[in-house]
Amino acid sequence: LQSEQGYISFYSEKNILKTDTKGRIWTVSPHGNIFHYDPLKDDFKEIPLPHNIKHETIELVEMTDHDEIWFCHPDNQYKYDIHNNELKKIALWHHHKHITSIYQNKDKTYFIGTEEGICHVHLKGDTLYPIHTLNTQGAFNTPRTIYHHEKSNRLIAYSQADGMLVYDLTFDQIEY
């Protein structure tokens, strides 16, 4: 892929390749480059961001099922809406939280993983506020992947250091 600054070096463990709610293909680099696949040209087109975040060290890039692309690093979080080309800076309730994963529920609340564990949060204005911190008893930190299975009301998370976690949200406890 090529951007205005030249060719983009992609690292497969940090990129995302995902379809949006309309079935269009997107890819995002860990450098803040967003590309949309144009099937008529059989090529990816770079989408310029309204605010340049490419000079910041982005540690997490995630695209939610609600067509939002999140860019997270130690000092700032940004949420990009692909439909209106809007990039918002998102504040955390606690500025020392380091986001390692994010999952958006259908009700537009989020589960975020941090180096301290997992927290259920909601976005009010441009700030994430906690709803509930999961009681992982310090046994599960820095999750890289989070998924909420709505029917069973279980949260499934994966951490390179701690492996797999299944958390029963109904009873607020680790299942395994």
Side-chain angles (χ1 to χ4, degrees):
L1 298 175
Q2 186 173 1
S3 74
E4 294 173 359
Q5 293 81 28
Y7 287 95
I8 304 299
S9 173
F10 278 92
Y11 301 94
S12 60
E13 71 276 1
K14 292 187 178 181
N15 291 353
I16 62 165
L17 179 66
K18 198 157 181 179
T19 56
D20 64 19
T21 55
K22 296 180 181 177
R24 298 174 300 183
I25 300 171
W26 295 81
T27 187
V28 183
S29 82
H31 306 292
N33 302 90
I34 300 174
F35 295 89
H36 170 256
Y37 180 70
D38 182 346
L40 298 176
K41 294 182 180 178
D42 192 26
D43 197 10
F44 282 89
K45 175 186 173 194
E46 185 175 20
I47 306 299
L49 291 176
H51 169 72
N52 188 359
I53 63 171
K54 295 176 187 172
H55 299 293
E56 300 187 32
T57 304
I58 298 169
E59 295 182 352
L60 172 70
V61 176
E62 184 63 54
M63 184 171 179
T64 70
D65 291 336
H66 296 279
D67 298 342
E68 299 170 342
I69 299 173
W70 285 74
F71 299 95
C72 303
H73 68 89
D75 299 320
N76 298 305
Q77 287 67 231
Y78 297 93
K79 182 180 73 149
Y80 174 70
D81 184 323
I82 66 172
H83 297 296
N84 62 17
N85 194 36
E86 183 178 59
L87 183 72
K88 287 186 175 181
K89 188 174 182 178
I90 304 297
L92 297 174
W93 72 97
H94 183 298
H95 64 81
H96 294 295
K97 297 284 184 191
H98 171 78
I99 295 178
T100 59
S101 56
I102 188 162
Y103 177 85
Q104 185 178 17
N105 286 318
K106 288 182 181 175
D107 66 359
K108 294 218 174 185
T109 62
Y110 301 85
F111 285 100
I112 62 168
T114 72
E115 71 276 5
E116 299 169 6
I118 302 171
C119 191
H120 189 196
V121 299
H122 69 98
L123 184 62
K124 184 176 180 183
D126 294 339
T127 304
L128 284 172
Y129 292 98
I131 296 171
H132 177 69
T133 300
L134 278 60
N135 182 17
T136 59
Q137 301 149 358
F140 193 83
N141 299 315
T142 319
R144 293 289 175 208
T145 305
I146 298 175
Y147 173 76
H148 179 216
H149 186 260
E150 286 188 47
K151 191 172 182 177
S152 67
N153 201 27
R154 285 178 174 75
L155 194 71
I156 301 160
Y158 174 77
S159 164
Q160 288 177 326
D162 300 316
M164 184 81 68
L165 169 81
V166 177
Y167 195 91
D168 187 325
L169 294 168
T170 303
F171 296 103
D172 195 25
Q173 64 186 18
I174 295 173
E175 196 164 276
Y176 57 86

